[in-house]
Amino acid sequence: MRLWAWMAGLAALLAAQAAWAGNVGFERVTAPAGADKPLVVGIWYPTDAPEAPMALGPSSQVVALGAPVAGANHPLILISHGTGGSFGDHFDTAKALAQAGFIVAAVSHTGDTYDDRSRTRRISERPGHLTPVIDYMTTTWRGHDAIDARRIGAFGFSAGGFTVLGAIGGEIDLSLMAAHCRQHPHFYDCATIGKLGEAPPAKPAPVSHDARIKAAVVAAPAMGFAFAPAGLAKVTVPVQLWRAEWDTVLPQPYYAEVVHGLLPKAEYRLAPHADHFDFLPPCSDQLAKLAPDVCVSNIDRAAFHKTFNAEVVRFFKKTLD
């Protein structure tokens, strides 16, 4: 009788998952963040509703806006963007994950977006943004019943890579930043801080960790040097680490290579001939006019993203299933 009940339950689960036709739904929401401003979140998820083109900032995507969620027991993936970005920065990776059966929640980090750089130097606050997003997605979002809260992963690029490393247990020494920038004032992170003219916080916020995150993909992480020598000692979840071979924004060996040395068991992937912003989707004509530096590439970015997104999906399927 117990075997029959177990088989019936499994059949019901498979039937629910099979009902999904491979399409992707999308919506933009706000998630409460305690006393702080609510966090803006973009959500991609499996649906069987028809898709249609829609604008996403200076880009566009083909999704089913506001459609019902199809299936059940979907893993949840969080996405953390780079400095000065937004929740839509990795929409193609988010859609690839949703097409593979994941629910994806990408957060815009308050004070470190394209239209608000007021907290860029308060980078240690960023990991703490992931916890309220997890809370919202697993308890309040209209599709929360379709999420398997035991299977949560996180993807981060650049400053988002730091964010995810912090959330899974990493600790940084921000006092190393001053010496780093004295030695490398032309590096992107140091030059950006100089342009902002923002004073560093007198007492940086402690990095917040969330044990609910069970796997992480980190691409071209910022602040790698500040994790040494033991800042990643408490990271125990599986990590897929990507480095752009010709990263001119966060050049080696100060960032991804430091993380690689501290996480020798990570699945390490090199993107041949790629530069830093090649981890962002291929640019629309509009975005290329607005941000040409982000869009210039020495590789076929569209072809690279087919491989990159497939590898991200494979890793999360392997580690969360």
Side-chain angles (χ1 to χ4, degrees):
M1 186 67 178
R2 289 180 180 176
L3 178 60
W4 179 87
W6 178 84
M7 292 180 66
L10 178 61
L13 172 61
L14 293 176
Q17 292 177 333
W20 166 55
N23 289 354
V24 174
F26 171 80
E27 65 178 302
R28 177 187 179 278
V29 301
T30 54
D36 204 349
K37 295 170 58 176
L39 293 159
V40 178
V41 181
I43 306 172
W44 290 258
Y45 53 88
T47 187
D48 50 16
E51 299 177 326
M54 66 161 283
L56 186 67
S59 301
S60 64
Q61 60 177 349
V62 180
V63 291
L65 183 63
V69 182
N73 297 294
H74 298 294
L76 172 66
I77 305 297
L78 310 175
I79 290 183
S80 175
H81 62 78
T83 187
S86 75
F87 73 79
D89 282 6
H90 301 278
F91 67 89
D92 70 321
T93 301
K95 186 171 181 180
L97 285 162
Q99 287 173 325
F102 295 87
I103 290 175
V104 181
V107 60
S108 285
H109 289 282
T110 302
D112 195 14
T113 56
Y114 69 95
D115 57 349
D116 178 9
R117 304 301 298 275
S118 61
R119 303 188 193 179
T120 296
R121 295 203 69 165
R122 293 159 61 176
I123 191 169
S124 62
E125 295 179 1
R126 273 172 146 259
H129 292 164
L130 302 188
T131 290
V133 175
I134 295 175
D135 293 343
Y136 173 82
M137 292 298 298
T138 56
T139 64
T140 306
W141 179 53
R142 65 181 178 87
H144 73 272
D145 287 342
I147 294 174
D148 182 350
R150 300 166 300 176
R151 295 188 292 158
I152 298 176
F155 168 98
F157 161 70
S158 197
F162 154 77
T163 302
V164 169
L165 287 170
I168 60 175
E171 297 283 358
I172 59 167
D173 183 354
L174 284 173
S175 69
L176 298 175
M177 189 75 190
H180 173 75
C181 287
R182 282 196 298 270
Q183 295 173 15
H184 311 288
H186 60 289
F187 281 9
Y188 181 88
D189 47 3
C190 301
T192 298
I193 290 172
K195 290 177 183 177
L196 292 173
E198 176 191 357
K203 186 177 181 181
V207 173
S208 176
H209 313 308
D210 199 312
R212 292 174 292 182
I213 301 172
K214 304 300 183 183
V217 174
V218 176
M223 303 297 294
F225 62 89
F227 284 112
L232 298 178
K234 295 180 180 178
V235 173
T236 59
V237 303
V239 175
Q240 183 184 71
L241 173 65
W242 287 81
R243 176 170 78 86
E245 183 178 21
W246 295 345
D247 196 325
T248 58
V249 173
L250 300 178
Q252 300 316 309
Y254 306 99
Y255 302 96
E257 280 300 297
V258 174
V259 174
H260 182 211
L262 297 175
L263 295 177
K265 294 183 179 180
E267 182 181 301
Y268 183 57
R269 307 302 302 270
L270 179 70
H273 311 304
D275 202 342
H276 189 75
F277 294 117
D278 285 319
F279 290 112
L280 297 174
C283 291
S284 66
D285 291 342
Q286 183 182 358
L287 181 58
K289 292 178 181 178
L290 292 172
D293 292 346
V294 171
C295 298
V296 172
S297 181
N298 293 317
I299 65 172
D300 183 337
R301 194 180 288 190
F304 167 62
H305 271 248
K306 289 181 180 179
T307 301
F308 174 64
N309 291 339
E311 285 300 294
V312 171
V313 169
R314 178 196 60 78
F315 175 79
F316 278 131
K317 278 188 169 290
K318 178 183 74 171
T319 54
L320 295 178
D321 284 349

